[in-house]
Amino acid sequence: MLKIRVFSYVLLCFIITTLIITGCASKKEQPAANSTQVPIEKVELTISAAASLTDAFKEIQTNYESKNKQIKLNFNFGASGALQQQIEQGAPADLFFSAATKNMKTLVDKQLIDPTQQKGLLINELVLVVPADGKVAVQKTEDLTNEMIKHLAIGEPQTVPAGSYAKEALTNAKLWDTLQAKIVQGKDVRQVLTYVESGNAEAGFVYKTDALTSKNVKVTFSVDPKTYTPIEYPAGIVKATKHSKETADFYTYLQSKEAQDVFVKYGFSIPK
């Protein structure tokens, strides 16, 4: 009888212990009813950049965001002059990447960009393109007077750096006034490229980098670099940014070998 009681007592203790252990394990496995996972709040940066940087920046965006999950890059592409005016008028922008030093200098002079936080990062070239199936022979600037070329596309010189460089080259060749009747102006260099691709212009001045993006045009010649101001691309942090640290980090990244390799891939050169 005593043995039975002892056995029953031991069995009861075993059952109670098992229930306690199981209960504790269940509690550990079940998340607290009131616990919530806090999502990572992303910082959105607005980059106002020259239209000619579009393709390179698409790849850089993928690379940068994949390594910086808390950052979302928003791009505002356009003519450098137009972007400069937007920043002057208070449009939101964290970083400005221009296709001409004059636009950056204007913002520095107006104290909208700190001179110590801007730097020339890239170099480009001016070329003449014609439709890929074009039949007009154009080997030099003087050939643009050929009557077969009825429309010559260039960027609007006042706001589009590529147009300003083209005007400078044509002026030095003493052809600017002569070609006025043929000139069709685009709001940015990408629109100029589209005019030539579509056949709405028999020729057009674009950057080397833009010409490389299209299979529908061909480069007939590179414009003599001695006839226009060197094409330098400066980047600078806008003083009004609300995300100084994140913008500074991205500005630093643009100067890294990883970013520079992407720019070179798309036809840009790096200043020495």
Side-chain angles (χ1 to χ4, degrees):
M1 187 69 176
L2 180 60
K3 289 183 178 180
I4 294 175
R5 287 181 179 177
V6 171
F7 176 78
S8 298
Y9 178 78
V10 171
L11 180 60
L12 181 60
C13 290
F14 175 76
I15 292 172
I16 292 172
T17 302
T18 302
L19 290 173
I20 292 172
I21 293 173
T22 303
C24 291
S26 298
K27 282 186 177 182
K28 288 182 180 179
E29 291 174 359
Q30 294 177 358
N34 296 327
S35 67
T36 56
Q37 187 174 2
V38 180
I40 298 175
E41 186 175 347
K42 289 199 173 187
V43 172
E44 296 193 18
L45 300 181
T46 299
I47 315 300
S48 289
S52 49
L53 292 163
T54 301
D55 297 281
F57 260 138
K58 285 181 180 178
E59 184 167 334
I60 284 176
Q61 178 180 23
T62 299
N63 295 344
Y64 193 75
E65 289 183 351
S66 67
K67 296 177 180 178
N68 299 271
K69 303 294 185 182
Q70 79 284 8
I71 300 296
K72 175 71 174 72
L73 298 176
N74 297 318
F75 290 96
N76 176 27
F77 294 111
S80 297
L83 297 176
Q84 169 207 317
Q85 292 171 6
Q86 290 174 14
I87 293 172
E88 289 174 344
Q89 293 164 7
D94 298 289
L95 185 139
F96 178 45
F97 208 143
S98 173
T101 56
K102 68 176 183 179
N103 303 112
M104 184 65 73
K105 184 179 184 304
T106 298
L107 293 181
V108 169
D109 290 344
K110 293 188 175 184
Q111 299 183 1
L112 295 173
I113 287 180
D114 188 329
T116 65
Q117 291 186 305
Q118 65 87 31
K119 183 179 181 181
L121 300 184
L122 304 173
I123 295 174
N124 211 337
E125 298 176 35
L126 190 68
V127 300
L128 187 91
V129 294
V130 297
D133 57 356
K135 302 297 189 292
V136 183
V138 184
Q139 301 300 324
K140 56 186 184 298
T141 307
E142 288 72 20
D143 292 338
L144 293 171
T145 58
N146 188 318
E147 62 181 12
M148 294 290 288
I149 296 181
K150 301 184 183 304
H151 303 95
L152 172 63
I154 73 167
E156 206 289 311
Q158 292 301 111
T159 57
V160 184
S164 177
Y165 298 130
K167 179 180 179 180
E168 192 177 354
L170 291 174
T171 299
N172 284 328
K174 295 181 171 45
L175 290 173
W176 176 251
D177 293 332
T178 303
L179 296 172
Q180 281 302 297
K182 298 183 177 187
I183 290 177
V184 178
Q185 297 184 357
K187 65 180 178 63
D188 58 41
V189 72
R190 286 306 173 96
Q191 187 171 66
V192 172
L193 184 66
T194 300
Y195 285 157
V196 181
E197 287 177 323
S198 62
N200 288 318
E202 288 76 25
F205 286 102
V206 299
Y207 295 125
K208 169 189 172 183
T209 51
D210 293 290
L212 291 174
T213 67
S214 176
K215 295 180 180 179
N216 298 317
V217 302
K218 59 184 178 183
V219 176
T220 60
F221 67 86
S222 294
V223 181
D224 184 353
K226 295 179 181 178
T227 63
Y228 60 88
T229 303
I231 304 174
E232 299 178 6
Y233 284 58
I237 298 174
V238 179
K239 282 186 177 182
T241 178
K242 296 179 181 178
H243 308 290
S244 299
K245 181 185 181 303
E246 291 82 2
T247 304
D249 288 343
F250 184 61
Y251 174 66
T252 299
Y253 174 76
L254 292 175
Q255 300 173 57
S256 69
K257 186 178 185 305
E258 180 176 285
Q260 289 181 343
D261 285 346
V262 174
F263 287 125
V264 170
K265 173 183 174 182
Y266 285 91
F268 291 95
S269 299
I270 308 300
K272 295 180 180 179

